[in-house]
Structures are given as C-alpha cells and as structure tokens.
Amino acid sequence: MTRFLTCALALVLSVATLRAQETEAKAAPADPRANVLRVATWNLLNLFDEVDDPDRPDEDTDPKSFADMVAMARFLDEIEADVVGVQEVENRRILERLNSYLERPFAYVELIEGNDFRGIDVGILSRVPIERAASHRQMPLEGDQRYSRDFPFFRLRPTDRDALQVGVVHLKSKRGDKKTSDAWRHAEAMGVATVVKRQLELEPKTPCLVMGDFNDRRDSEPLAPIFGVLEDLTAKLVPESDRFSFVHRGEPEQIDFILTANLRATRARILHRPDNPSDHHPVIVDFDLGAPIRRVAVPSNGAPRPPQRPVIDARNLEEIGRNFLKEVTIEGSVAKVFRPKSGGVLLNFDADFRKAITVYVPRESIETLGDLDALVGQRVRVSGPVGKHRDALQIRLSRPEQLERPKR
C-alpha cells in the first residue's frame, strides 16, 4: 500500500511539474527575431591597417586608430545585424581584426580584392552560412569600364529552406569631372542591373538583395537602371526626415541603400548617432523569412587589448617618423589651435608648426572633444597612428579616448 501511494504521489508530482513547465513555456515570450533576418550596410570610412602595401598608395590614408576600431566594434554589436555589407575596407586582415573586437563576432568574414587604386574594397560580415562568393571586378561595363571597386555577389543560406543572393556595391564617387563620374557610375549601375536580372532569371523565387554605398541619390539618372529592377525599402519604411545616410557640405542626403527583390521587410531605419565613428550612417532592414534563422555563433575574444605605444615628445620628428603608420602617444604643450578654411582643427605643438607633429581634429569630432582652445599652453598626450598630410607628420584625433588632458 505504501509503495502504491508513493508511486501515485510521484505521478501527481510529475504531472504537476509538466503542467508548470507548459504554463511557463506559454508565459515566456517567443523570440521575436527567431524568423527575422537583420541586414545592414555601412561605409567604414577608410578602414586601413598599419602595414604599408608597396603596390598601393595606402600611406596617404591614416590607419584606423585603436579607439576608432573599438568604437566601430561597439556600434556593430549594438546594431545586432545578421548580415552586414561593408565598404572602404583595405583588406581582409583589418576586417577580421575589427570582427575580433566584437562582443559577438561574426562567423563569416569575406572580402575580395577589387580594382580601387587606393585599395578600398567591399566585403561582408555574416552570422548565417555563406555558400558561394563571386567577383565581378573584371566584368566589362559600358564605355569600356570596369567596376571602380567590385560587385561581389554572395549566396547565403539564412534558413534550412531558403537561399539569399546578396550583392555589395561601392559605386564611383562624384570626385573629379561630373560628366566622367556620372557616366562611370551609370555603367556600374547597368552592370549591377544585368547581374541581378540574370540571377532572377536563373532562380526566379530566390530573394535578391543589393546594398552598399551608391554615391548618388535615388532619383539620379546614373542610378536609374538599378532602381528600375530593385525595390528601395527605406523610401517606404523610413520617415522622410530620417531618410539620410551622409551629410555633404551641410546637406543631408541618402546615398546608402538596401534594395531587394522577392523579400518582405518588417522594419527599416537609418541609425543616426553623434558618436558614429564613420561619416556614413548605417542603413538597417529587418526581413521576416517565415522560418528560423540559422545563426552560427562564435566565441568572443574578450575585451580588445590596446597596442603597446611608445611615448614620444611631439617635437621629436625623427623618432615619430620611425613609427610611421604605427600607434604612438605623443606628448607636448599645445602652442596654437589653428582652424584651416578646409575645416577641422589643427593642434600645433610649436610656434613653427614644421618643427613638431600636428594633431588634426576632423570637423565631425570637434564637439565631442570639448573646448580645444583651452588646451593652449597645456601639456597633453594624444594617442593614435602616425600619418602624413602633405608630407607633414600628423595624428588624427577623432575620439575623446585619444586625448589625455592635464589633471586638475
């Protein structure tokens, strides 16, 4: 009898436990993003490393500082995208380093070297499997042109049942002669449209997405071939007042897009933040694929470790020059704050600016650094990679973490 009561009690408790678990499961909210693929595009503003490539004039572009790299990693973590198309990246090595700084690194990092004379390329970061990558850098375009960078096309497998074709662009900029740049950009747009049409003919039901820096507005004539084939989701889902991704000479404009065919979007936004470490704002779109997303997780590398920096007097140009492209900490008294007509601020560490390294503060970083005029006569430390401007050594100061002010 005792044994029967014990078994009955155990059965009652088991049923009660199962019911409690069922109740908890019903009460617990389902993951709202289980079936939602988040895609973003972001121009990373000269993501260059400290290695001098003998085949490229990369020494004319300052390497990205450790402080900027950390800020970019945090930005990417906060976006929480599954797939990110990136532009203005020098090589796979620096993109992998950026990825290693993330709290949630991407499982897949892809970049194919393109045609740009400076070496800036486009690439992709993905949490979902990449099955194939194809370059179009040698594809002949109208007017005997090639893509100014490349138009890599990636085949992703975001769910067990679905494939997704993703192209990343960085079209010709508007620098130089307008007629020439417009014609080149139009040729690229024709090439993109041709590739997309071909993919849709081969696999009519497979969704297609093209994203990146188009270097022109949606209503421009050069981009008409692309916008005639793909749908601009931000035009429908982002309020007009927020519909800009770049500020050119004080005028906000959208030149970064995520364009699609056969995809249903649930949300789109352009992220505007004052602490953005790039001059472009990320464009972000969520897609409901109707099936669980196959996200591949990889472990974090822990907090990024700052590089070992020698501390060098700001007037010791010889020693600073020996550390060209490397991170250093320069120390000296600010002699003058100069504001060139081209914009930004220069901190000079000698009455004769040619006798000391110069610290350049870009226009977009001035407000975040506080009262720079108050630094005159003060001894400060500035950390960052040693670069050059018109053959003069300089450090780009873009974030408060790079500046050590006098202690009060």
Side-chain angles (χ1 to χ4, degrees), residues 172-177 181-182 185 215-217 253:
K172 176 69 178 69
S173 74
K174 293 184 177 180
R175 290 179 181 174
D177 178 68
S181 65
D182 281 358
R185 202 160 45 258
N215 262 319
D216 217 335
R217 301 178 186 231
E253 58 184 12

Side-chain angles (χ1 to χ4, degrees), residues 130-274:
I130 298 176
E131 295 183 338
R132 185 171 66 237
S135 169
H136 293 93
R137 66 182 181 275
Q138 297 302 328
M139 177 181 174
L141 303 177
E142 184 182 67
D144 197 29
Q145 292 286 5
R146 296 289 189 273
Y147 288 102
S148 53
R149 329 312 163 170
D150 189 10
F151 177 43
F153 222 66
F154 303 94
R155 184 182 180 87
L156 279 58
R157 184 66 63 175
T159 73
D160 287 334
R161 71 182 189 190
D162 299 309
L164 173 64
Q165 303 281 5
V166 177
V168 184
V169 302
H170 186 186
L171 302 186
K172 176 69 178 69
S173 74
K174 293 184 177 180
R175 290 179 181 174
D177 178 68
K178 182 180 186 304
K179 184 177 180 180
T180 301
S181 65
D182 281 358
W184 194 341
R185 202 160 45 258
H186 182 265
E188 291 179 303
M190 291 280 288
V192 170
T194 298
V195 172
V196 169
K197 287 178 182 177
R198 185 188 306 143
Q199 290 295 331
L200 292 176
E201 288 172 0
L202 291 172
E203 299 179 86
K205 295 183 179 180
T206 300
C208 186
L209 182 153
V210 175
M211 59 180 165
D213 179 356
F214 289 69
N215 262 319
D216 217 335
R217 301 178 186 231
R218 62 170 55 81
D219 58 354
S220 70
E221 186 176 340
L223 297 188
I226 299 178
F227 284 86
V229 175
L230 295 167
E231 182 182 12
D232 177 13
L233 298 171
T234 52
K236 293 183 176 181
L237 299 175
V238 177
E240 188 174 358
S241 58
D242 293 336
R243 215 179 293 156
F244 67 94
S245 63
F246 186 73
V247 179
H248 178 63
R249 296 179 180 175
E251 182 181 355
E253 58 184 12
Q254 185 177 357
I255 62 175
D256 302 87
F257 299 94
I258 296 177
L259 310 178
T260 63
N262 301 334
L263 273 173
R264 184 170 66 89
T266 58
R267 184 189 181 200
R269 60 194 170 110
I270 302 176
L271 184 60
H272 302 123
R273 288 251 303 266

Side-chain angles (χ1 to χ4, degrees), residues 29-47:
D31 181 1
R33 285 193 54 201
N35 298 347
V36 175
L37 183 78
R38 177 165 295 171
V39 177
T41 181
W42 195 18
N43 182 314
L44 300 181
L45 181 60
N46 293 326
L47 182 60

Side-chain angles (χ1 to χ4, degrees), residues 44 47 86-91 94-95 111 119-122:
L44 300 181
L47 182 60
V86 293
Q87 303 86 49
E88 288 198 17
V89 181
E90 185 180 14
N91 50 49
I94 192 67
L95 188 58
L111 181 143
I120 55 173
D121 300 311
V122 301

